[in-house]
Amino acid sequence: MYNRQPSAWEYCLEGASENIETEVVHGWIFKDGVWTAHAWCEFADRVIDLALSTHSTDKSDYYTKYMVSSDRCRRYSRIEFFELVGNEKHFGPYDTDLFFAETSEQDPLEVIEAQKGE
């Protein structure tokens, strides 16, 4: 039987569908010693990351735990996200310059900066 878990990108569809105030975030998180391209939803001061938990998390705690920073993220209103899903025919990531790989041993911003210098 086929029983695949949705990706973090796909889980955002559910989170964005639940609340009109929800924002979809694509960002790099530092998890298990590696930078990982990831996606989650935010509402007010809460993070909804269904790939990691069925419970919402305090945004500040989430950002601290996973070393999230605004320069490693792209934010989409739920309407922008739905339009991108329809137009691009996938759930993300959409900024392939920022999200150049699924994971990175090195800080992704340093990788991008080094590529500019080449």
Side-chain angles (χ1 to χ4, degrees), residues 28-36 65-68 104-105:
W28 286 98
I29 63 172
F30 193 73
K31 183 174 177 256
D32 300 327
V34 67
W35 288 98
T36 303
K65 180 177 182 178
Y66 294 110
M67 298 174 58
V68 175
S104 177
E105 295 290 325

Side-chain angles (χ1 to χ4, degrees), residues 37-52:
H38 196 65
W40 61 92
C41 293
E42 294 181 5
F43 171 69
D45 65 346
R46 306 299 294 173
V47 168
I48 301 106
D49 187 343
L50 295 173
L52 299 178

Side-chain angles (χ1 to χ4, degrees), residues 1-7 10:
M1 180 97 200
Y2 182 71
N3 192 15
R4 181 185 71 82
Q5 277 291 106
S7 70
E10 294 166 324

Side-chain angles (χ1 to χ4, degrees), residues 8-9 17-18 34 36 40 42 45 47 52 64 72 75 78 86 91 94-96 101 104 110:
W9 314 99
S17 297
E18 295 293 320
V34 67
T36 303
W40 61 92
E42 294 181 5
D45 65 346
V47 168
L52 299 178
T64 299
R72 291 186 189 92
R75 309 177 85 73
R78 66 191 292 270
F91 297 96
Y94 303 114
D95 183 342
T96 55
S104 177
E110 292 175 4

